[in-house]
Amino acid sequence: GAGVSQSPSNKVTEKGKDVELRCDPISGHTALYWYRQSLGQGLEFLIYFQGNSAPDKSGLPSDRFSAERTGGSVSTLTIQRTQQEDSAVYLCASSLTVRGSSGGDTQYFGPGTRLTVL
Amino acid sequence: GQSLEQPSEVTAVEGAIVQINCTYQTSGFYGLSWYQQHDGGAPTFLSYNALDGLEETGRFSSFLSRSDSYGYLLLQELQMKDSASYFCAVRGVYTGGFKTIFGAGTRLFVKA
């Protein structure tokens, strides 16, 4: 596609429910990132995919968070048993970066999913 | 460990020049990038420096000094639409390979 797309754009859920957030990266981009951003705050790194594998899951805040990527394309971030502190904008980004490349890593961001946990 | 520091807020007047600094600490260094984010929008890429010196792109310039682990974003002829948050990001070597880490962002307010 022309850009990174994310769905849904907004999600309101009740505490304790599970949610799935979807990211469609730019076609051909090998690297995919998930970030979380609370209101007025910076970007909190969650997880990074190179192809279908996730070499770095260090940012996942708890075992309630998981992510997968299939076919080197679409990724899903799942949050189980949501808590109010999970409320934030979840941003996905993709880049052309090749595994092991020491070059630049220009990331193209999607519009984000605003998650509200009541 | 790895960290980035940038000012939390900067205020300037329309037409002026403003410089946003970024200092970093990283394992290995493979480039400093800058991103702009307007309220309610997604971050968008502005510039990338891999080598020392100044990179110019229109009204925006970015500078890097690897020996000082320091860079800055320079915005000239400020316009109201430049009011946004600006993030520096460093690509380094971490567990699992290469990774880009973002700073907390600098909120720029442009006044008339």
Side-chain angles (χ1 to χ4, degrees):
Chain A
V4 178
S5 60
Q6 293 185 245
S7 60
S9 56
N10 279 283
K11 177 71 177 179
V12 180
T13 190
E14 293 180 348
K15 178 181 173 181
K17 300 285 188 183
D18 297 352
V19 295
E20 281 191 355
L21 312 180
R22 177 187 168 105
C23 172
D24 276 279
I26 293 173
S27 178
H29 279 196
T30 57
L32 186 147
Y33 303 80
W34 282 99
Y35 297 91
R36 179 168 72 173
Q37 187 174 37
S38 299
L39 188 63
Q41 301 300 307
L43 298 171
E44 178 188 2
F45 170 82
L46 297 179
I47 189 169
Y48 156 61
F49 286 92
Q50 183 63 250
N52 289 336
S53 64
D56 190 347
K57 304 178 183 180
S58 63
L60 294 177
S62 76
D63 58 8
R64 296 186 295 105
F65 288 71
S66 63
E68 63 176 15
R69 187 180 186 194
T70 55
S73 180
V74 172
S75 176
T76 302
L77 177 68
T78 301
I79 309 173
Q80 295 178 308
R81 306 181 301 283
T82 52
Q83 304 293 312
Q84 288 184 331
E85 61 262 29
D86 299 334
S87 296
V89 175
Y90 289 80
L91 290 161
C92 172
S94 70
S95 78
L96 267 174
T97 307
V98 175
R99 185 185 186 92
S101 168
S102 60
D105 178 37
T106 300
Q107 296 185 24
Y108 297 85
F109 284 81
T113 293
R114 182 175 298 279
L115 175 65
T116 303
V117 182
L118 301 177
Chain B
Q2 56 277 353
S3 65
L4 294 100
E5 288 190 14
Q6 53 181 129
S8 58
E9 281 187 13
V10 172
T11 300
V13 297
E14 205 172 7
I17 299 172
V18 71
Q19 178 174 312
I20 300 174
N21 298 320
C22 174
T23 57
Y24 60 86
Q25 183 177 12
T26 182
S27 305
F29 175 80
Y30 294 98
L32 180 72
S33 301
W34 289 92
Y35 289 78
Q36 177 192 59
Q37 185 181 31
H38 287 98
D39 283 348
T44 56
F45 172 80
L46 288 178
S47 68
Y48 168 72
N49 294 67
L51 302 175
D52 291 350
L54 193 67
E55 294 282 342
E56 298 182 64
T57 307
R59 294 187 297 115
F60 293 2
S61 303
S62 57
F63 172 83
L64 174 65
S65 169
R66 289 173 294 171
S67 60
D68 295 322
S69 297
Y70 163 77
Y72 65 72
L73 180 69
L74 191 73
L75 297 85
Q76 302 182 71
E77 300 172 18
L78 280 175
Q79 302 175 9
M80 299 297 287
K81 67 178 182 180
D82 297 329
S83 293
S85 292
Y86 293 84
F87 296 89
C88 59
V90 168
R91 183 162 167 75
V93 179
Y94 307 102
T95 303
F98 297 91
K99 187 166 73 178
T100 299
I101 302 294
F102 283 78
T106 297
R107 182 124 177 128
L108 171 64
F109 296 95
V110 180
K111 303 190 299 184

